[in-house]
Amino acid sequence: MIRRLLRLLCVGFCLLAFAYNSPAPLIYKPGEGWTYEKPGETGTWQKTRAKDQLEVAQLAFDAANYDLALKAAKRTVNNWPFSDYAPKAQYLAARCLEEKNQDQQAFKEYQKLIEKYPKIAEANEVLKRQYEIANRFLGGKWFKLWGYIPMPPSKDKTADMYEQVVKNGPYSDVGPQAQLNIGEVRERQKDYPAAVKAYERAADRYADKPQVASDALYKAGMAYQKEARTAEYDQTVASKAIATFSDFATLHPDDPRVKETGARIDSLRTEQARGSYDIAQFYEKKKKWDGALIYYNEVLLKDPSSGYADAARIRIDLIKKRNTPANPAE
C-alpha cells in the first residue's frame, strides 16, 4: 500500500516538474471553457473585438479550415452574444458543422440561430439548409449518438426535423414540402393514421397552392388505401379512402391522376365487399343466419359486379332455402 502511494506521488511530481516541456493543447479561459490549441497556435486566432473575431472565422471558413472557423465563430457568439456580429458567427458555426458532415449538430446550430436571431437576413437559406439536412436523413443517412456513435436511421427523428422546419417557416419555400415529407416518413413506418393526418394538414393549410393541395389529398387517399388493406373487419377505412379520392377528383378534375383514382375507388369497393363477405361468413359459421344475410346483402350493395357478389348471391339463396320450411305433404 505504501509502495503504491509512493509511486503515485513520484508520477505526480514528474508531471508537475516537467510540465514546461510538454505541449498544452487544452486551454481553459474563464467564461469560455476549454478549447483545443495546436502547438504554436495559442492565442493567434483569439481577438479582443467581435468584428475581428468574426473576420478570423470567415477567413478560416473561406480557406476550408473548418475546425478553426468553428472555434472562432463560437467564440464570437459566446463572448459577444448581443453584438451585430453574433448572428453571422452563429450561421458560420452551423455551416462549419455541415461541411464537417456533422448534420445533426448543424441542424441544432441552425435552430439556435433561428431562435436567438429570428430577424437574420439568411433566414430563408437557413430553413432550406435544415430541410436539406432532413432530406439526407430521409434518404437513409445514419444518426450519431452523442455526435460520435453511428446509429441506424431513425424515422421519428427525421419526422421531428421536418416538423421543426414547418414550425420555423410554415409558409416558407420549403414549408409545404416539409409537411408532405412528414406524411412520407409516417408511411414508411406504416403508421398510416399519422401519415393521413400529416397529408390532410398539408391539404388544409396550403389549399391556395394547387399542386401541394392536390398532392396532399392524393397521398392521403393512398395512405387510407394502404391502411384498408391491413384491416380485417373494420372497413370504415376503405370508406374514408373512397371519400378522399372522390374529393380529390372533384376538387382537382384536371389532375392526370383522376383517372387512376377511379380504378382505385373500384378496387376499394371490392375491398369493402370482401370485408362484408368475411363478416357474413363468420356469422354463417356461428349459425347466425340473420346476421349472415345482412352482410351478404351488403356485399351486393358495395360491389354488385364483383366475384364476392356472385358468391354472396349463392349463399343468400342457400340460407333462404334452409330457413324456408318444407311444404307439408298433401
Side-chain angles (χ1 to χ4, degrees), residues 281-297:
Q281 289 268 286
F282 172 80
Y283 278 113
E284 189 174 358
K285 288 177 182 178
K286 297 291 184 179
K287 298 184 179 180
K288 305 286 186 178
W289 311 115
D290 290 342
L293 284 172
I294 289 172
Y295 282 99
Y296 280 134
N297 277 296

Side-chain angles (χ1 to χ4, degrees), residues 196-255:
V196 168
K197 184 177 179 180
Y199 290 138
E200 289 181 342
R201 183 173 295 172
D204 292 340
R205 177 176 282 169
Y206 307 112
D208 60 333
K209 297 180 181 294
Q211 187 60 54
V212 176
S214 61
D215 283 350
L217 205 54
Y218 176 81
K219 288 175 181 290
M222 291 292 292
Y224 270 132
Q225 184 175 22
K226 291 175 182 178
E227 185 181 3
R229 289 172 181 167
T230 66
E232 290 296 328
Y233 297 124
D234 183 7
Q235 294 302 309
T236 58
V237 179
S239 297
K240 291 178 180 178
I242 291 171
T244 303
F245 279 135
S246 298
D247 288 344
F248 169 76
T250 301
L251 295 172
H252 308 282
D254 297 327
D255 193 292

Side-chain angles (χ1 to χ4, degrees), residues 60-302:
F61 182 85
D62 294 341
N65 186 350
Y66 302 119
D67 290 332
L68 177 57
L70 180 59
K71 288 192 301 182
K74 283 190 171 183
R75 187 170 189 273
T76 306
V77 175
N78 291 337
N79 286 13
W80 301 280
F82 303 109
S83 72
D84 293 339
Y85 306 100
K88 180 65 174 180
Q90 181 65 37
Y91 172 77
L92 276 179
R95 289 285 290 112
C96 288
L97 288 166
E98 195 174 357
E99 291 295 334
K100 285 160 65 70
N101 199 31
Q102 297 177 18
D103 279 343
Q104 276 175 271
Q105 294 90 328
F107 190 97
K108 291 178 181 178
E109 292 300 317
Y110 284 131
Q111 189 59 35
K112 288 181 184 177
L113 176 60
I114 291 172
E115 292 173 359
K116 287 184 176 181
Y117 313 105
K119 296 182 180 180
I120 55 169
E122 298 89 354
N124 198 49
E125 181 191 347
V126 169
L127 287 175
K128 288 180 179 179
R129 289 193 174 280
Q130 283 190 311
Y131 173 74
E132 290 302 329
I133 289 173
N135 283 348
R136 289 196 282 273
F137 285 110
L138 180 63
K141 184 171 183 175
W142 284 37
F143 285 85
K144 290 183 179 180
L145 183 63
W146 300 311
Y148 297 100
I149 304 173
M151 300 293 288
S154 169
K155 294 182 177 64
D156 285 330
K157 290 182 180 179
T158 302
D160 288 343
M161 284 183 167
Y162 284 123
E163 290 275 9
Q164 191 63 68
V165 172
V166 174
K167 184 179 178 180
N168 290 339
Y171 300 102
S172 65
D173 292 342
V174 296
Q177 189 58 50
Q179 182 64 52
L180 288 173
N181 285 2
I182 295 170
E184 182 176 344
V185 173
R186 298 310 183 191
E187 269 197 83
R188 294 187 185 188
Q189 287 181 304
K190 301 188 186 303
D191 186 350
Y192 300 119
V196 168
K197 184 177 179 180
Y199 290 138
E200 289 181 342
R201 183 173 295 172
D204 292 340
R205 177 176 282 169
Y206 307 112
D208 60 333
K209 297 180 181 294
Q211 187 60 54
V212 176
S214 61
D215 283 350
L217 205 54
Y218 176 81
K219 288 175 181 290
M222 291 292 292
Y224 270 132
Q225 184 175 22
K226 291 175 182 178
E227 185 181 3
R229 289 172 181 167
T230 66
E232 290 296 328
Y233 297 124
D234 183 7
Q235 294 302 309
T236 58
V237 179
S239 297
K240 291 178 180 178
I242 291 171
T244 303
F245 279 135
S246 298
D247 288 344
F248 169 76
T250 301
L251 295 172
H252 308 282
D254 297 327
D255 193 292
R257 293 169 291 188
V258 167
K259 185 176 181 180
E260 173 197 328
T261 57
R264 292 188 179 281
I265 289 173
D266 291 340
S267 173
L268 284 161
R269 285 177 176 152
T270 300
E271 186 66 19
Q272 284 185 306
R274 178 196 66 78
S276 295
Y277 187 86
D278 288 346
I279 296 172
Q281 289 268 286
F282 172 80
Y283 278 113
E284 189 174 358
K285 288 177 182 178
K286 297 291 184 179
K287 298 184 179 180
K288 305 286 186 178
W289 311 115
D290 290 342
L293 284 172
I294 289 172
Y295 282 99
Y296 280 134
N297 277 296
E298 275 199 11
V299 173
L300 303 182
L301 292 172
K302 288 175 178 176

